[in-house]
Amino acid sequence: MIGRLNHVAIAVDNVERASAVYRDALGAKVSTPESLADHGVTVVFVELPNTKIELLEPYGENSPIASFVAKNPSGGIHHICYEVENILEAREQLKASGARVLGDGEPRIGAHGKPVLFLHPKDFCGALIELEQA
Ligand code: CO
């Protein structure tokens, strides 16, 4: 069912500092930070030849990544995103297998403007998974 690795997301307390690490030390191409109020994050995309890295910083009062960053003050891998062809079909197949879809279970428009869902880390080897309809 899953296809390409779309991105790995790393949550940090300061996306400017994280951008400098990726740009200056690792020599990657990084975007300018963008604050997404709906998602409660400020995001920077790092473009790699075969995938992307998303650098996330909490934004606003009720950021969904605030507690993660509080627990991981030097940053940490927050989720991995796999592409699927049809997100509703993928969801039904996963639910039938007993996997838990987070939130109300309905796809939302993600940081890339495409429908996404998140899957419970306890059902997937301890990693929070985002599915994005490619
Ligand atoms: Co993501």
Side-chain angles (χ1 to χ4, degrees), residues 7 9 54 56 79 81 112 118 130:
H7 61 270
E54 231 176 55
L56 303 173
H79 65 266
C81 177
H112 307 276
F118 285 89
E130 179 178 21

